Amino acid sequence: MTTRLDKFEEPLKTDLEELLNRFQRTDSVRYEDFSAIWRDMNFGGIFLGIKNLKEKNEFSRMALTAATAYLLPPYAFQVRVGGVYILYGLYHSQSSFPKQKIRLALKDWEDVQAFTQDAMGSQHYDVVYILHKLLGAKAFHFTAMPVPLVFVKDKKQRGTTNAEVAAKPASRPQKLVTTQMLEEVANIHQHYKQLKESVVVQNPESNLNLLRQNLVPKLFNSVMSYSTWQKIHMDGRKEASELNLEEPSTSSSSFDPRQESSRRANLLAAIKARSYGQVVEAAKSRRHRQAELSSAAEAGPREERGFGQEPGAKPVPVPRRRQRFTNSLRYRTLRRLYENGGIPEEFLKCTKLWKLSKADGDETTERVAKRFTW
């Protein structure tokens, strides 16, 4: 979905909820009552105003996906009936080409079939008729997942907005453990304690200690300690963010180019020292030329090609490195076999290739090239 159409998602859900609320107030599941509300709200006009075909397709998919949620549990039967009617109206009112289909996962199709059986048993045939009309028009696109599964992450990561920073911390434990809930837990715990005491009186030999003492005070203290820790944690994060925001202003006011250059020089020196302190192991084919670790001080200044000399001075000649000749692997193997007495000495001599081209005493006939004459 494009960024331009993101702002229409929440208003669309609000309009769908308004349509369903008005349909619920009728206390009916008839299609004629729903169609009257649909026409009164002019709900089919939500597809007007979009001229781009790509945006039409995206908005149609968004609308059908938002309406499909009301077809599935845990909504009531009347709301699910309204979801069926909304899907029918949106599918036939969309102006996209080709028509976008209703994405439905296979695991949710069982719930739709059970809903259809309930409608048949309650003799709500208009609901069944609308579902069969959608199936006949091939409006459903059966998939493995309810939403498209994407393995590549979006490269455009949204930055942290002010709303996200100023969001309130989660307070579900505080909302769950209320005063009424604690009173109810205390009453249930007291009743359970009386039942256990009656069992112990009937069977004095039984040693059942399954009661947790001071359950309600411990639960209340746990919630309060969590709330205190959450407040301290949020205050610490707020102070850290404020310090991070203040650091650039203080550092920019006391900027010293000498300190900056010194810090950069120290950083480069540390990187070079770390690089020269590691010796890369040579490959197997270059074992005779293994690298050795040497410091920059031992290497001394470069004297080749006139580096480090005064301008105008005669360059110091650098003796060339004598190339080392090594015998081939074949010769070394034959030499080792000859020393062990495995082959005669004549195998060590080079083979004359021209001797293999003709036998002894044969004369070679030279080929005369014919020249082209005009």
Side-chain angles (χ1 to χ4, degrees):
M1 187 186 304
T2 58
T3 308
R4 181 181 174 184
L5 297 180
D6 287 343
K7 58 184 178 182
F8 297 116
E9 186 174 2
E10 292 300 327
L12 176 63
K13 292 181 179 179
T14 304
D15 293 341
L16 290 175
E17 291 176 358
E18 176 64 22
L19 177 61
L20 289 172
N21 288 333
R22 294 181 61 176
F23 180 63
Q24 276 186 298
R25 287 196 290 268
T26 60
D27 293 332
S28 173
V29 292
R30 302 277 75 86
Y31 182 72
E32 56 182 359
D33 299 331
F34 176 83
S35 61
I37 300 173
W38 178 279
R39 289 191 299 270
D40 182 53
M41 294 181 64
N42 193 17
F43 209 86
I46 63 173
F47 297 103
L48 302 178
I50 303 178
K51 298 181 179 180
N52 190 358
L53 182 59
K54 181 180 179 182
E55 293 182 355
K56 284 183 180 180
N57 296 338
E58 291 178 356
F59 184 76
S60 299
R61 285 196 295 268
M62 181 180 67
L64 292 173
T65 302
T68 307
Y70 301 106
L71 174 61
L72 305 174
Y75 292 102
F77 181 80
Q78 188 181 8
V79 177
R80 297 180 69 180
V81 170
V84 174
Y85 295 156
I86 290 176
L87 288 175
Y88 181 76
L90 291 177
Y91 179 76
H92 289 285
S93 300
Q94 60 178 315
S95 57
S96 57
F97 181 80
K99 284 190 175 182
Q100 302 300 315
K101 296 186 177 182
I102 304 168
R103 187 182 180 92
L104 189 66
L106 293 177
K107 64 181 184 64
D108 298 330
W109 178 242
E110 299 179 357
D111 298 330
V112 176
Q113 287 181 327
F115 170 73
T116 307
Q117 295 296 329
D118 294 342
M120 285 285 294
S122 302
Q123 296 183 356
H124 299 312
Y125 298 117
D126 45 359
V127 183
V128 182
Y129 175 77
I130 294 297
L131 279 174
H132 281 284
K133 286 283 289 185
L134 289 173
L135 289 172
K138 297 183 180 180
F140 289 103
H141 178 50
F142 297 100
T143 58
M145 302 291 291
V147 294
L149 186 62
V150 181
F151 294 96
V152 181
K153 294 184 179 179
D154 190 5
K155 294 182 180 179
K156 297 181 181 179
Q157 296 181 357
R158 299 180 180 177
T160 305
T161 59
N162 296 331
E164 294 176 355
V165 174
K168 295 182 180 180
S171 58
R172 290 185 178 181
Q174 294 89 323
K175 293 181 180 179
L176 179 62
V177 183
T178 58
T179 305
Q180 298 178 357
M181 181 261 189
L182 291 176
E183 292 178 357
E184 188 69 20
V185 171
N187 294 333
I188 296 174
H189 184 68
Q190 184 66 24
H191 183 63
Y192 181 71
K193 183 178 179 181
Q194 294 175 0
L195 291 177
K196 298 299 294 183
E197 289 177 355
S198 62
V199 172
V200 173
V201 171
Q202 295 178 3
N203 300 324
E205 298 180 356
S206 63
N207 187 12
L208 299 177
N209 189 13
L210 302 178
L211 289 175
R212 184 178 293 275
Q213 302 297 331
N214 301 326
L215 176 62
V216 176
K218 287 182 179 179
L219 181 60
F220 178 75
N221 293 334
S222 300
V223 175
M224 292 301 296
S225 60
Y226 171 74
S227 178
T228 305
W229 170 85
Q230 192 179 38
K231 183 178 180 181
I232 295 173
H233 182 65
M234 293 300 296
D235 293 343
R237 291 180 60 184
K238 185 177 180 181
E239 292 177 0
S241 61
E242 291 177 355
L243 289 175
N244 292 334
L245 292 175
E246 292 176 359
E247 278 182 1
S249 59
T250 56
S251 60
S252 59
S253 60
S254 60
F255 176 75
D256 189 1
R258 295 182 180 179
Q259 294 180 358
E260 182 67 19
S261 60
S262 177
R263 185 186 63 82
R264 182 176 178 81
N266 294 334
L267 180 61
L268 292 175
I271 293 174
K272 288 182 179 180
R274 198 161 50 243
S275 301
Y276 288 128
Q278 298 177 359
V279 180
V280 181
E281 185 179 357
K284 293 183 179 181
S285 60
R286 299 177 61 86
R287 287 178 178 173
H288 60 285
R289 299 188 64 182
Q290 290 288 349
E292 297 180 358
L293 179 63
S294 61
S295 62
E298 296 177 357
R302 298 182 63 180
E303 297 180 355
E304 57 180 358
R305 297 183 182 179
F307 285 102
Q309 299 180 5
E310 297 181 359
K314 187 177 181 180
V316 180
V318 180
R320 291 193 175 184
R321 190 173 182 181
R322 187 174 182 182
Q323 187 176 3
R324 183 181 177 185
F325 178 76
T326 55
N327 294 320
S328 63
L329 178 62
R330 176 179 176 276
Y331 180 81
R332 284 179 284 165
T333 305
L334 295 176
R335 186 73 182 179
R336 192 179 297 109
L337 292 175
Y338 168 71
E339 292 176 356
N340 294 334
I343 58 174
E345 187 178 1
E346 59 185 14
F347 280 93
L348 298 177
K349 298 179 181 180
C350 296
T351 303
K352 303 297 183 180
L353 297 178
W354 59 271
K355 289 185 177 181
L356 300 178
S357 61
K358 67 182 183 64
D360 295 339
D362 293 345
E363 295 181 357
T364 58
T365 58
E366 296 183 359
R367 182 179 179 182
V368 180
K370 295 181 179 181
R371 299 185 64 181
F372 178 76
T373 56
W374 295 92

